[in-house]
Coordinates of all heavy atoms in Angstrom, one line a residue:
S34 N 108.4 108.1 115.3 CA 107.4 107.3 114.8 C 106.0 108.0 114.8 O 105.3 108.0 113.9 CB 107.3 105.9 115.5 OG 108.4 105.2 115.4
A35 N 105.7 108.6 115.9 CA 104.5 109.4 116.1 C 104.4 110.6 115.1 O 103.4 110.8 114.5 CB 104.3 109.8 117.5
D36 N 105.5 111.3 115.0 CA 105.6 112.4 114.1 C 105.4 112.0 112.6 O 104.7 112.6 111.9 CB 107.0 113.1 114.2 CG 107.0 114.4 113.4 OD1 106.4 115.4 113.8 OD2 107.7 114.4 112.4
V37 N 106.0 110.9 112.3 CA 105.9 110.4 110.9 C 104.5 110.0 110.6 O 104.0 110.2 109.5 CB 106.9 109.3 110.6 CG1 106.5 108.5 109.4 CG2 108.3 109.9 110.4
L38 N 103.8 109.3 111.5 CA 102.4 109.0 111.3 C 101.5 110.1 111.0 O 100.6 110.1 110.2 CB 101.9 108.3 112.6 CG 102.2 106.8 112.7 CD1 101.7 106.2 114.0 CD2 101.6 106.0 111.5
I39 N 101.8 111.3 111.7 CA 101.0 112.5 111.5 C 101.4 113.2 110.2 O 100.5 113.6 109.4 CB 101.1 113.4 112.7 CG1 100.5 112.8 113.9 CG2 100.5 114.8 112.4 CD1 100.9 113.5 115.2
N40 N 102.7 113.4 110.0 CA 103.2 114.3 108.9 C 103.5 113.6 107.7 O 103.6 114.3 106.6 CB 104.3 115.1 109.5 CG 103.9 116.1 110.5 OD1 103.0 116.9 110.3 ND2 104.5 116.0 111.7
H41 N 103.9 112.3 107.7 CA 104.3 111.6 106.6 C 103.8 110.1 106.6 O 104.6 109.2 106.8 CB 105.9 111.6 106.4 CG 106.5 112.9 106.2 ND1 106.4 113.6 105.0 CD2 107.2 113.7 107.1 CE1 107.0 114.7 105.1 NE2 107.5 114.9 106.4
P42 N 102.5 109.9 106.6 CA 102.0 108.6 106.7 C 102.5 107.6 105.6 O 102.4 106.4 105.8 CB 100.5 108.8 106.6 CG 100.3 110.1 106.0 CD 101.5 110.9 106.3
D43 N 103.1 108.2 104.6 CA 103.7 107.3 103.5 C 105.1 106.9 103.8 O 105.7 106.1 103.0 CB 103.6 108.1 102.2 CG 104.3 109.4 102.2 OD1 104.4 110.1 103.3 OD2 104.9 109.8 101.2
I44 N 105.6 107.3 104.9 CA 107.0 106.9 105.3 C 106.9 105.8 106.4 O 106.2 105.9 107.3 CB 107.8 108.1 105.8 CG1 108.1 109.1 104.6 CG2 109.2 107.6 106.4 CD1 108.8 110.3 105.0
E45 N 107.8 104.8 106.2 CA 107.9 103.7 107.2 C 109.3 103.8 107.7 O 110.3 103.8 107.0 CB 107.7 102.4 106.5 CG 107.9 101.2 107.4 CD 107.7 99.9 106.7 OE1 107.0 99.8 105.6 OE2 108.4 98.9 107.1
L46 N 109.4 103.9 109.1 CA 110.7 104.0 109.7 C 111.1 102.6 110.3 O 110.2 101.9 110.8 CB 110.7 105.0 110.9 CG 110.4 106.4 110.5 CD1 110.4 107.3 111.8 CD2 111.4 107.0 109.5
S47 N 112.3 102.3 110.2 CA 112.9 101.1 110.9 C 114.1 101.6 111.7 O 114.9 102.4 111.2 CB 113.4 100.0 109.9 OG 112.3 99.5 109.3
F48 N 114.2 101.1 112.9 CA 115.3 101.6 113.8 C 116.3 100.4 114.1 O 115.9 99.3 114.3 CB 114.7 102.0 115.2 CG 113.7 103.2 115.0 CD1 112.3 102.9 114.9 CD2 114.2 104.5 114.9 CE1 111.4 104.0 114.7 CE2 113.3 105.5 114.7 CZ 111.9 105.3 114.6
Y49 N 117.5 100.8 114.2 CA 118.6 99.8 114.6 C 119.6 100.5 115.4 O 120.0 101.6 115.1 CB 119.2 99.3 113.3 CG 120.3 98.3 113.5 CD1 120.0 97.0 113.9 CD2 121.6 98.6 113.4 CE1 121.0 96.0 114.1 CE2 122.6 97.7 113.6 CZ 122.3 96.4 114.0 OH 123.3 95.5 114.2
Q50 N 120.1 99.9 116.4 CA 121.2 100.4 117.2 C 122.2 99.2 117.5 O 121.8 98.1 117.8 CB 120.7 101.0 118.6 CG 121.8 101.7 119.4 CD 122.7 100.8 120.2 OE1 122.2 99.8 120.8 NE2 123.9 101.2 120.4
S51 N 123.5 99.5 117.4 CA 124.5 98.6 117.8 C 125.7 99.3 118.3 O 126.0 100.4 117.8 CB 124.9 97.7 116.6 OG 125.9 96.8 117.0
N52 N 126.4 98.6 119.2 CA 127.7 99.1 119.7 C 128.9 98.5 118.9 O 130.0 98.8 119.3 CB 127.9 98.8 121.2 CG 126.8 99.6 122.0 OD1 126.7 100.8 121.8 ND2 126.2 99.0 122.9
H53 N 128.5 97.7 117.9 CA 129.5 97.0 117.2 C 129.7 97.4 115.7 O 128.7 97.3 114.9 CB 129.2 95.5 117.2 CG 129.1 95.0 118.7 ND1 130.1 94.7 119.5 CD2 128.0 94.8 119.4 CE1 129.7 94.4 120.7 NE2 128.4 94.4 120.6
E54 N 130.8 97.8 115.3 CA 131.0 98.4 114.0 C 130.6 97.4 112.9 O 130.0 97.7 111.9 CB 132.5 98.8 113.8 CG 132.8 99.5 112.5 CD 134.3 99.9 112.5 OE1 135.1 99.3 113.1 OE2 134.5 100.9 111.7
G55 N 131.0 96.1 113.0 CA 130.7 95.1 112.0 C 129.3 94.9 111.8 O 128.8 94.7 110.7
E56 N 128.5 94.9 112.9 CA 127.0 94.8 112.8 C 126.4 96.0 112.1 O 125.5 95.8 111.3 CB 126.4 94.6 114.2 CG 126.8 93.3 114.9 CD 126.2 93.1 116.3 OE1 125.5 94.0 116.7 OE2 126.6 92.1 116.9
I57 N 127.0 97.2 112.3 CA 126.5 98.3 111.6 C 126.8 98.3 110.2 O 125.9 98.5 109.3 CB 127.0 99.6 112.3 CG1 126.5 99.8 113.7 CG2 126.6 100.9 111.4 CD1 127.2 100.9 114.5
L58 N 128.0 97.8 109.8 CA 128.4 97.6 108.4 C 127.4 96.6 107.8 O 126.9 96.9 106.6 CB 129.8 97.0 108.3 CG 130.9 98.0 108.7 CD1 132.2 97.3 108.8 CD2 131.0 99.1 107.6
D59 N 127.1 95.5 108.4 CA 126.2 94.5 107.8 C 124.8 95.1 107.6 O 124.1 94.8 106.6 CB 126.0 93.3 108.8 CG 127.3 92.4 108.8 OD1 128.2 92.6 107.8 OD2 127.5 91.6 109.7
K60 N 124.3 96.0 108.5 CA 123.0 96.6 108.4 C 123.0 97.6 107.2 O 122.1 97.6 106.5 CB 122.7 97.3 109.7 CG 121.2 97.7 109.8 CD 120.4 96.4 109.9 CE 118.9 96.7 110.2 NZ 118.1 95.5 110.3
I61 N 124.1 98.3 107.1 CA 124.2 99.2 105.9 C 124.2 98.4 104.6 O 123.4 98.8 103.7 CB 125.5 100.1 106.0 CG1 125.3 101.1 107.2 CG2 125.7 100.8 104.7 CD1 126.6 101.8 107.5
H62 N 125.0 97.4 104.5 CA 125.0 96.6 103.3 C 123.6 96.0 103.0 O 123.2 95.9 101.9 CB 126.0 95.4 103.5 CG 127.4 95.8 103.6 ND1 128.4 95.0 103.9 CD2 128.0 97.0 103.4 CE1 129.6 95.6 103.9 NE2 129.4 96.9 103.6
G63 N 122.9 95.5 104.0 CA 121.6 94.9 103.9 C 120.5 95.9 103.5 O 119.4 95.4 103.1
A64 N 120.8 97.1 103.6 CA 119.8 98.1 103.3 C 119.5 98.3 101.8 O 118.4 98.7 101.4 CB 120.2 99.5 103.9
R65 N 120.4 97.9 101.0 CA 120.2 97.9 99.6 C 119.0 97.1 99.1 O 118.9 96.0 99.5 CB 121.5 97.4 98.8 CG 122.7 98.3 99.0 CD 123.9 97.7 98.4 NE 124.2 96.4 99.1 CZ 124.5 95.3 98.4 NH1 124.7 95.3 97.1 NH2 124.8 94.2 99.1
G66 N 118.1 97.7 98.4 CA 117.0 97.0 97.9 C 115.8 96.9 98.9 O 114.7 96.5 98.6
E67 N 116.1 97.3 100.2 CA 115.0 97.2 101.2 C 114.6 98.6 101.6 O 113.4 98.8 102.0 CB 115.5 96.4 102.4 CG 114.4 96.2 103.5 CD 114.9 95.4 104.6 OE1 116.0 94.7 104.5 OE2 114.2 95.4 105.6
F68 N 115.5 99.6 101.6 CA 115.2 100.9 102.1 C 115.5 101.9 101.0 O 116.3 101.7 100.1 CB 116.1 101.2 103.3 CG 115.7 100.4 104.5 CD1 116.4 99.2 104.8 CD2 114.6 100.8 105.3 CE1 116.0 98.5 105.9 CE2 114.3 100.0 106.4 CZ 114.9 98.8 106.7
D69 N 114.8 103.1 101.1 CA 115.0 104.2 100.2 C 116.1 105.2 100.7 O 116.5 106.0 99.9 CB 113.7 104.9 99.9 CG 112.6 104.0 99.4 OD1 112.9 103.4 98.3 OD2 111.6 103.8 100.0
G70 N 116.4 105.1 101.9 CA 117.4 106.0 102.5 C 117.7 105.7 103.9 O 117.0 104.8 104.5
I71 N 118.8 106.2 104.3 CA 119.3 105.9 105.7 C 119.6 107.2 106.4 O 120.2 108.1 105.8 CB 120.6 105.0 105.6 CG1 120.3 103.7 105.0 CG2 121.2 104.9 107.0 CD1 121.6 102.8 104.8
I72 N 119.3 107.2 107.7 CA 119.8 108.3 108.6 C 120.7 107.6 109.6 O 120.3 106.6 110.2 CB 118.6 108.9 109.3 CG1 117.7 109.6 108.3 CG2 119.1 109.9 110.4 CD1 116.3 110.1 108.8
I73 N 121.9 108.1 109.8 CA 122.9 107.5 110.7 C 123.4 108.4 111.6 O 123.9 109.5 111.3 CB 124.0 106.7 109.9 CG1 124.9 105.9 110.8 CG2 124.8 107.7 109.0 CD1 125.8 105.0 110.1
N74 N 123.4 108.0 112.9 CA 124.2 108.7 114.0 C 125.2 107.6 114.4 O 124.9 106.7 115.1 CB 123.3 109.1 115.1 CG 124.1 109.8 116.2 OD1 125.3 109.7 116.3 ND2 123.3 110.5 117.1
A75 N 126.4 107.8 113.8 CA 127.4 106.7 114.0 C 128.2 106.9 115.3 O 129.1 106.2 115.6 CB 128.4 106.7 112.8
G76 N 127.8 107.9 116.1 CA 128.5 108.2 117.3 C 130.0 108.4 117.1 O 130.4 109.0 116.1
A77 N 130.8 107.8 118.0 CA 132.3 108.0 117.8 C 132.8 107.4 116.5 O 133.9 107.9 116.0 CB 133.0 107.3 119.0
Y78 N 132.2 106.5 115.9 CA 132.7 106.0 114.6 C 132.7 107.0 113.5 O 133.4 106.9 112.6 CB 131.8 104.8 114.1 CG 131.9 103.5 114.9 CD1 130.7 102.8 115.2 CD2 133.1 103.1 115.4 CE1 130.8 101.7 116.0 CE2 133.1 101.9 116.2 CZ 132.0 101.2 116.4 OH 132.0 100.0 117.2
T79 N 131.9 108.1 113.7 CA 131.9 109.2 112.8 C 133.3 109.7 112.5 O 133.6 110.2 111.4 CB 131.0 110.4 113.4 OG1 129.7 109.9 113.6 CG2 131.1 111.6 112.5
H80 N 134.2 109.7 113.5 CA 135.4 110.4 113.5 C 136.6 109.6 113.0 O 137.6 110.1 112.7 CB 135.7 111.0 114.9 CG 134.5 111.6 115.5 ND1 134.0 112.8 115.0 CD2 133.8 111.3 116.5 CE1 132.9 113.1 115.7 NE2 132.8 112.2 116.6
Y81 N 136.3 108.3 112.8 CA 137.5 107.5 112.4 C 137.2 106.2 111.6 O 138.1 105.5 111.1 CB 138.4 107.1 113.6 CG 137.7 106.2 114.6 CD1 137.7 104.8 114.4 CD2 137.0 106.7 115.7 CE1 137.1 103.9 115.4 CE2 136.3 105.9 116.6 CZ 136.4 104.5 116.4 OH 135.7 103.7 117.3

């Protein structure tokens, strides 16, 4: 957040963390029309 304020003041970041796959799915689905892009660290879900 601090880095973006300095280097990209035109970018707004939102953060989300969940240990539940279904909640992450819902967040991804809900991003349409609200966000311009997603960065995801899916942890162990990455692999399966």
